[in-house]
Amino acid sequence: MSVVKVFYQTVLRRPSRFFVVVAVGSLFFERTIDIGIENVFDRMNRGKQWKDIADKYV
């Protein structure tokens, strides 16, 4: 049996399963993008954020 046929039989054939796969996938995708953007922002602003300079003022 091909992978596509197994995927269709197990996931796409039932709307409830399809909904769960889409919901979990969207949550995973959103969290992955959020973490990635935060890392890029922190790298671009290294040394300028409060967490980097807090030792000087506390």
Side-chain angles (χ1 to χ4, degrees), residues 29-47:
F29 179 75
E30 185 270 335
R31 189 65 187 141
T32 303
I33 294 297
D34 187 43
I35 291 171
I37 295 298
E38 281 185 23
N39 286 336
V40 169
F41 179 82
D42 286 341
R43 247 184 275 135
M44 291 177 69
N45 293 301
R46 187 172 292 145

Side-chain angles (χ1 to χ4, degrees), residues 9-24:
Q9 293 289 333
T10 58
V11 176
L12 297 179
R13 201 161 181 202
R14 297 264 181 172
S16 59
R17 288 184 195 162
F18 181 70
F19 174 75
V20 169
V21 168
V22 168
V24 170

Side-chain angles (χ1 to χ4, degrees), residues 1-10:
M1 220 181 252
S2 72
V3 175
V4 175
K5 189 172 184 180
V6 171
F7 181 74
Y8 174 77
Q9 293 289 333
T10 58

